[in-house]
Amino acid sequence: MSDVKHDGDEAELKVTDKRRFTAEGEERPEAPEPKEARAEQEPSAAEAPSQEPADSAPVPIDFATFVLSLASSTQVHLGAVPNPATGAQEKDLGLARQTIDILGMMQDKTKGNRTPEEDRLLEHILFDLRMMYMQASSGADKNSE
């Protein structure tokens, strides 16, 4: 890496060689540690839950996982569960309605391509979310009077 320092009209450029080996193939004493050694020194997932290890592969996503993800975000928008980012219960009925409509569109567009389990999951989730939406929107109407 290089750092540039400006002192008036003159610029001083500092270059730091961070390669681990010299041109002759010998290890430099001031070279940065290899990734394996750094990984051992980093806090574990239990100690730092907000940081995901760079080596970990993303969780494979399937249709059911995607549907459940959308359902969870809809519940947050309905105020049924707290927002995981803020911990507060927030209502955004417009976003909730939009996500329910997206799930309904997915139900129509994927018809005939889902397994029976996926059919049941989508039907039950849509039914539950629509009922929750009706309750939340009727509560919002009463509160606005």
Side-chain angles (χ1 to χ4, degrees):
M1 296 304 261
S2 65
D3 297 322
V4 177
K5 294 180 182 179
H6 295 284
D7 230 4
D9 291 338
E10 295 181 28
E12 181 182 319
L13 180 65
K14 179 183 176 188
V15 178
T16 306
D17 189 355
K18 293 192 176 186
R19 293 179 289 187
R20 210 170 144 211
F21 297 98
T22 64
E24 292 78 32
E26 296 175 14
E27 189 168 5
R28 294 176 191 265
E30 71 279 355
E33 297 179 33
K35 285 185 180 180
E36 296 82 29
R38 283 193 309 253
E40 291 172 6
Q41 294 174 354
E42 292 176 2
S44 67
E47 296 169 3
S50 64
Q51 294 179 347
E52 187 175 321
D55 304 335
S56 71
V59 176
I61 191 160
D62 59 3
F63 185 78
T65 306
F66 182 57
V67 168
L68 290 170
S69 171
L70 290 174
S72 296
S73 67
T74 304
Q75 290 178 334
V76 170
H77 298 313
L78 290 170
V81 296
N83 183 332
T86 63
Q89 296 213 293
E90 306 162 355
K91 269 192 184 181
D92 189 336
L93 295 179
L95 283 175
R97 180 76 236 165
Q98 184 179 39
T99 310
I100 292 169
D101 290 344
I102 289 170
L103 284 165
M105 178 184 64
M106 282 177 43
Q107 185 179 37
D108 293 339
K109 296 292 184 179
T110 59
K111 191 172 189 168
N113 293 321
R114 297 184 307 264
T115 65
E117 294 82 21
E118 291 169 340
D119 283 338
R120 282 191 296 278
L121 174 70
L122 196 51
E123 281 181 43
H124 290 267
I125 284 180
L126 272 170
F127 177 80
D128 290 342
L129 291 175
R130 286 173 175 153
M131 291 298 112
M132 290 171 70
Y133 178 82
M134 289 176 58
Q135 276 185 319
S137 61
S138 67
D141 292 341
K142 290 177 184 176
N143 292 337
S144 63
E145 291 177 2

